Amino acid sequence: MTTTNDLSDMVRAATALFAQAETPAALENAKAGYLGKTGRITELMKGLRALDIEQKKTRGAAINQAKQAIERALDARRRALADAELERQLQAEALDVTLPGRRRGSGGLHPVARAWERVEQVFRSMGFDVADGPEVENDWFNFTALGNPPDHPARSMQDTFYVDMQDEAGHPYCLRTHTSPMQIRYATAHAKRHAAALARGEIPEIRVIAPGRTYRVDNDATHSPMFHQVEGLWLGADVSFADLKATYLNFCRAFFENEELILRFRPSYFPFTEPSAEIDIRFPSGPLAGRWLEVSGAGQVHPQVVRNMGLDPERFIGFAFGSGMDRLAMLRYGVSDLRLFFDGDIRFLKQFA
Ligand code: PHE
């Protein structure tokens, strides 16, 4: 028969065994050897049956004490393992608050986008609306409506990307070679408003810019196949070439923040303006001083174009211009090669952020 000493040896052995268990699963295994169905304690309890009533009492109480001692040892080990696990997790997730943070790089607007926003800002301040239109344009808006029929030699002034597609009227599509189609689109889109004004005996006014992307088969330091233009159109009862000059001068002085900047108009040709001009600007001082720099085509809107807008050229007169926005950005930011804008080199672009 086992003695009380045997029982305390057993408790010590169980405690030592539990201490060796490194995981909760190992501990539960070790427990089964004592408290499970075929465990030592259970076996001892069964052994009580053979004893008489007095022995049963004392022996039973001793076994119970041993059982409780083993349960306490088990609980203590369980808690120790859980604490160790928690400690391990805390260690693994520890933050080193002294480490410098990883900052998200701050983005910035592309220099052409900056120039674009600036152009809109300045023209809005002069009462211009801002309009937007399609880059895949049909032949009618891009050429024909602008006095440039299919057999007209002036079409070759603009090397065109044609798209293998036609609209319902059979006009082929192309990537717009300039923003000028927006003159016709904007005027016809506002035809109702104009008709209503005319019915009231007023001459309505069209005063709009249309900035956007344009495309030509062209690629060198000052030309890229995709570039940006801003179209300007101001039509009314008596909008003159002098208004063009004043408007454009105001725009350039505001855009370049230079009150001394001057303009020059050189005679030119466009099928949709008459007379036509190229506008050059000149800075009185600074790195670009002394040179005439071409920035825009312009002119009085041709009567036939006014007719194609659905308006009467006897009552509507005014000017249009089409300026290279990349060119404006190059001049404003002192960039000498247009291609830098579109290479996507972050070292170049960062300078403007
Ligand atoms: N569309 C012309 C071009 O791209 C510029 C222009 C616009 C000229 C409006 C006159 C009037 O070259």
Side-chain angles (χ1 to χ4, degrees):
M1 197 184 120
T2 31
T3 65
T4 312
N5 265 345
D6 294 333
L7 289 177
S8 46
D9 281 351
M10 182 181 69
V11 171
R12 231 172 289 124
T15 308
L17 191 66
F18 295 163
Q20 280 168 28
E22 294 294 341
T23 64
L27 182 59
E28 294 315 306
N29 270 341
K31 167 198 153 181
Y34 292 91
L35 302 170
K37 257 191 207 143
T38 56
R40 302 271 297 281
I41 295 287
T42 322
E43 293 300 320
L44 289 174
M45 290 293 199
K46 283 182 192 158
L48 289 178
R49 268 176 283 175
L51 303 180
D52 66 40
I53 194 116
E54 266 321 298
Q55 282 177 316
K56 251 186 204 164
K57 262 193 189 160
T58 43
R59 183 64 184 158
I63 294 174
N64 244 333
Q65 271 181 8
K67 184 183 177 193
Q68 282 163 10
I70 289 175
E71 281 170 346
R72 275 196 302 276
L74 179 68
D75 266 0
R77 184 60 185 155
R78 275 185 184 143
R79 248 176 287 119
L81 282 179
D83 285 353
E85 172 61 14
L86 183 65
E87 184 59 25
R88 199 190 56 72
Q89 277 180 13
L90 287 175
Q91 286 292 334
E93 290 164 17
L95 284 182
D96 179 354
V97 292
T98 64
L99 206 67
R102 268 186 292 262
R103 268 202 254 163
R104 192 182 290 193
S106 58
L109 282 184
H110 191 279
V112 174
R114 282 174 183 271
W116 183 329
E117 285 199 342
R118 209 174 156 72
V119 165
E120 289 191 7
Q121 209 180 0
V122 174
F123 277 107
R124 276 189 205 279
S125 78
M126 293 195 272
F128 280 74
D129 191 11
V130 177
D132 189 23
E135 291 171 27
V136 180
E137 186 53 282
N138 73 41
D139 181 79
W140 161 258
F141 285 112
N142 194 78
F143 291 120
T144 313
L146 295 169
N148 218 333
D151 53 355
H152 195 292
R155 278 209 186 189
S156 60
M157 286 165 73
Q158 301 184 348
D159 298 310
T160 312
F161 289 112
Y162 282 96
V163 177
D164 196 8
M165 222 165 63
Q166 295 186 346
D167 67 8
E168 314 85 62
H171 298 296
Y173 281 101
C174 62
L175 300 185
R176 66 177 177 189
T177 58
H178 52 177
T179 43
S180 298
M182 282 305 292
Q183 294 184 28
I184 312 283
R185 282 189 177 276
Y186 185 84
T188 49
H190 290 78
K192 276 213 183 102
R193 175 168 65 79
H194 303 149
L198 286 167
R200 290 195 304 268
E202 299 162 13
I203 300 287
E205 201 186 56
I206 295 175
R207 205 192 311 183
V208 65
I209 59 161
R213 270 178 275 281
T214 48
Y215 303 84
R216 289 184 204 174
V217 185
D218 238 347
N219 204 6
D220 60 43
T222 51
H223 298 88
S224 95
M226 187 283 297
F227 58 108
H228 298 81
Q229 280 194 339
V230 54
E231 195 75 10
L233 176 67
W234 190 349
L235 284 181
D238 55 4
V239 182
S240 73
F241 213 94
D243 293 315
L244 165 61
K245 195 168 177 185
T247 304
Y248 210 82
L249 186 62
N250 279 337
F251 160 67
C252 286
R253 288 185 170 173
F255 181 84
F256 290 108
E257 295 171 284
N258 188 327
E259 285 304 310
E260 261 106 61
L261 177 152
I262 52 172
L263 296 187
R264 173 173 85 174
F265 285 74
R266 263 183 301 120
S268 185
Y269 172 78
F270 298 101
F272 36 92
T273 45
E274 182 58 37
S276 303
E278 299 285 351
I279 308 178
D280 300 337
I281 61 172
R282 188 159 139 167
F283 297 91
S285 58
L288 296 163
R291 279 196 295 144
W292 285 107
L293 307 156
E294 184 180 321
V295 288
S296 191
Q300 287 292 95
V301 180
H302 193 287
Q304 184 55 42
V305 174
V306 176
R307 234 171 263 129
N308 291 340
M309 293 173 178
L311 300 169
D312 177 2
E314 296 300 326
R315 305 174 79 175
F316 282 88
I317 187 167
F319 64 79
F321 60 82
S323 312
M325 239 180 343
D326 317 278
R327 182 103 183 114
L328 293 173
M330 284 170 78
L331 294 173
R332 180 165 163 87
Y333 299 116
V335 175
S336 55
D337 190 330
L338 175 66
R339 288 169 294 196
L340 284 168
F341 282 150
F342 309 122
D343 283 348
D345 187 331
I346 202 77
R347 292 166 304 175
F348 169 74
L349 295 171
K350 254 188 180 165
Q351 304 174 72
F352 305 95

